[in-house]
């Protein structure tokens, strides 16, 4: 499979694979480390928590679902989100962090899974033609917009979460327990 999904089946596979790998990494991180700052942030030079990475992924997943719902109901969509332009994605990421700042780690993991399940259900309800045969936003197909905001950021965040896990979590566990 190419790195960029070209059809419905490849899109589902890309999302499911990225989700499964990232979830396994999240489940390896003890709850007491989930709010510790140390994961590379979305704004250059910043650090965030593991919970913030979940908030980011949930936020983008929910935007995908909102975009589809609005467009399906012939409503205007403020891309990427009302009050934000495409050149303000760092501020949008911070908005997601604040939106979910009081959620517990298990609650965020559950919401992440639910959001991905809803996106996979949406994809399942659509034909390959609806996903990949026509432009949906500017020159992008719906499939590409979904991929941009699900599997791509999950892969990116997984690299950062694994780096955090290695530096912060594994370094504090005695080698005899690893």
């Amino acid at each position: 499979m190419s790195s960029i999904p070209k059809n419905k089946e490849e899109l589902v596979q890309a999302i499911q694979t990225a989700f499964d790998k990232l979830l396994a990494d999240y489940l390896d991180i003890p709850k007491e480390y989930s709010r510790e700052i140390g994961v590379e942030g979305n704004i250059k030079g910043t650090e965030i928590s593991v919970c913030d990475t979940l908030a980011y992924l949930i936020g983008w997943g929910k935007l995908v679902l909102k975009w589809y719902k609005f467009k399906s109901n012939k409503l205007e969509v403020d891309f990427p989100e009302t009050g934000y332009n495409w050149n303000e994605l760092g501020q949008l990421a911070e908005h997601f962090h604040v939106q979910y700042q009081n959620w517990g780690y298990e609650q965020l993991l559950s919401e992440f899974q639910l959001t991905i399940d809803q996106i996979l259900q949406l994809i399942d309800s659509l034909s390959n033609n609806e996903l990949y045969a026509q432009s949906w936003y500017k020159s992008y197909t719906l499939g590409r917009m979904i991929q941009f905001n699900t599997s791509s950021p999950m892969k990116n965040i997984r690299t950062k979460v694994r780096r955090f896990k290695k530096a912060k979590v594994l370094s504090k566990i005695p080698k005899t327990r690893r």
Side-chain angles (χ1 to χ4, degrees):
M1 182 175 84
S2 72
S3 61
I4 299 173
K6 304 267 189 289
N7 60 47
K8 179 177 176 171
E9 184 180 308
E10 289 180 6
L11 179 61
V12 168
Q13 184 65 44
I15 293 169
Q16 196 63 63
T17 299
F19 173 80
D20 290 345
K21 288 178 177 179
L22 182 55
L23 184 63
D25 287 319
Y26 280 139
L27 294 175
D28 268 354
I29 297 173
K31 182 171 68 172
E32 60 266 24
Y33 294 99
S34 68
R35 287 278 175 199
E36 185 175 320
I37 301 301
V39 179
E40 182 186 332
N42 298 89
I43 298 173
K44 189 175 173 71
T46 64
E47 289 190 340
I48 58 176
S49 71
V50 169
C51 285
D52 291 333
T53 67
L54 281 160
Y56 177 83
L57 294 170
I58 292 165
W60 278 106
K62 291 199 175 300
L63 278 183
V64 166
L65 295 166
K66 176 183 168 181
W67 297 339
Y68 182 79
K69 180 180 177 186
F70 274 47
K71 282 193 73 138
S72 296
N73 290 312
K74 308 276 189 266
L75 299 171
E76 190 173 324
V77 180
D78 286 334
F79 286 99
E81 174 61 307
T82 304
Y84 297 91
N85 295 310
W86 286 113
N87 64 349
E88 299 172 319
L89 297 183
Q91 293 95 312
L92 183 54
E94 289 177 342
H95 168 77
F96 296 144
H97 302 163
V98 170
Q99 186 178 355
Y100 293 97
Q101 69 187 356
N102 296 320
W103 288 44
Y105 192 40
E106 292 89 358
Q107 194 179 8
L108 286 165
L109 287 168
S110 181
E111 189 69 15
F112 177 46
Q113 176 130 28
L114 177 68
T115 303
I116 295 301
D117 286 348
Q118 290 171 335
I119 289 168
L120 290 170
Q121 288 168 12
L122 169 62
I123 294 166
D124 189 54
S125 76
L126 299 169
S127 68
N128 195 63
N129 203 43
E130 290 169 299
L131 287 163
Y132 284 99
Q134 63 242 352
S135 292
W136 190 80
Y137 170 72
K138 296 193 176 181
S139 64
Y140 300 109
T141 64
L142 175 56
R144 191 77 163 114
M145 288 298 288
I146 292 171
Q147 181 252 326
F148 278 146
N149 297 292
T150 57
S151 61
S152 288
M154 281 191 276
K155 287 180 188 176
N156 182 31
I157 283 179
R158 181 172 184 240
T159 301
K160 296 174 181 184
V161 166
R162 288 173 66 82
R163 204 175 296 137
F164 170 83
K165 186 172 78 168
K166 186 176 183 184
K168 302 283 185 172
V169 179
L170 293 179
S171 67
K172 294 177 182 168
I173 299 171
K175 286 189 186 331
T176 55
R177 286 190 42 217
R178 282 196 225 162

